[in-house]
Amino acid sequence: ALAGWLGSLDRYGSGKGASASRGIWLTAYNGSPYSLHRIGRHTRPVDNLSVSLLGGIQMERLRELGDLTSDGLLQRFLPVMMRASRLDSDSFNGSAYLHWDQRLRELIEIGAVSIELSPEAKAERERIAVLIHNLGAGESEGPGWQGFVGKLMGVWGSLALIMHAIWEPQIAFNLKVENAKRATKLIEGFVLPHGLAFYRAVGGT
């Protein structure tokens, strides 16, 4: 559960320890080289400080933790509003799992590559950028929502790369417009609606 982790970030109250603890997670969002400095110990370099977090939390518990939007930590999460539970099933798609497992192993072996947007993909990026900018410009949903929307162009870029990696048999250096549109579809049809519902619920409306 996320409640324990989020609560642990404030265990020092509003002092220096709390801000330093939250700061390292904020830095890890972007993924980049980092040097860990410890007083009286050696400096430890980190090639790529990058963390992925997945967890669940009840909305009531989240409200109890206070304002988590002031430094942008909460806005770095992509919220998913879960529907009511249904009867569990033991069905398992083994072929789909094997295909996914094989694709992941192929991607791991590729290593670092440089990907550029095709001209058509650039046009798609510009279109979604205008939409996201306009959504973030309004103040009716509060600063938390604005901060969340302000990070979505970076999310779009990550999703476009993921779509490119999944759908291209061989990793090409040009990201096609089809994969750019797949990223847009996820933003428009899933990320934005869930985010809006989440920040309205956080605000108590």
Side-chain angles (χ1 to χ4, degrees), residues 46-114:
V46 180
D47 293 336
N48 183 23
L49 183 65
S50 180
V51 177
S52 295
L53 290 173
L54 177 66
I57 188 171
Q58 293 82 9
M59 194 58 66
E60 294 76 15
R61 183 71 180 95
L62 190 64
R63 294 195 190 102
E64 292 174 2
L65 294 174
D67 184 14
L68 300 171
T69 65
S70 59
D71 60 358
L73 178 64
L74 189 64
Q75 292 94 319
R76 284 165 167 78
F77 285 88
L78 297 181
V80 178
M81 305 297 285
M82 304 301 291
R83 64 187 176 190
S85 61
R86 299 185 298 180
L87 185 64
D88 196 10
S89 172
D90 290 331
S91 62
F92 176 71
N93 190 333
S95 61
Y97 169 78
L98 290 175
H99 177 74
W100 181 247
D101 180 73
Q102 179 184 357
R103 189 62 183 141
L104 283 178
R105 294 179 187 277
E106 292 171 353
L107 293 174
I108 291 172
E109 293 175 358
I110 289 174
V113 293
S114 179

Side-chain angles (χ1 to χ4, degrees), residues 14 26 47 136 151:
S14 58
L26 292 168
D47 293 336
K151 293 174 175 53

Side-chain angles (χ1 to χ4, degrees), residues 114-125:
S114 179
I115 307 294
E116 292 186 2
L117 299 176
S118 69
E120 297 80 7
K122 287 181 180 178
E124 177 63 19
R125 182 189 181 279

Side-chain angles (χ1 to χ4, degrees), residues 157-178:
S158 297
L159 290 174
L161 286 172
I162 292 171
M163 295 299 103
H164 178 75
I166 291 174
W167 288 91
E168 295 300 317
Q170 300 294 329
I171 296 298
F173 297 115
N174 245 6
L175 195 150
K176 298 177 181 177
V177 66
E178 293 86 353

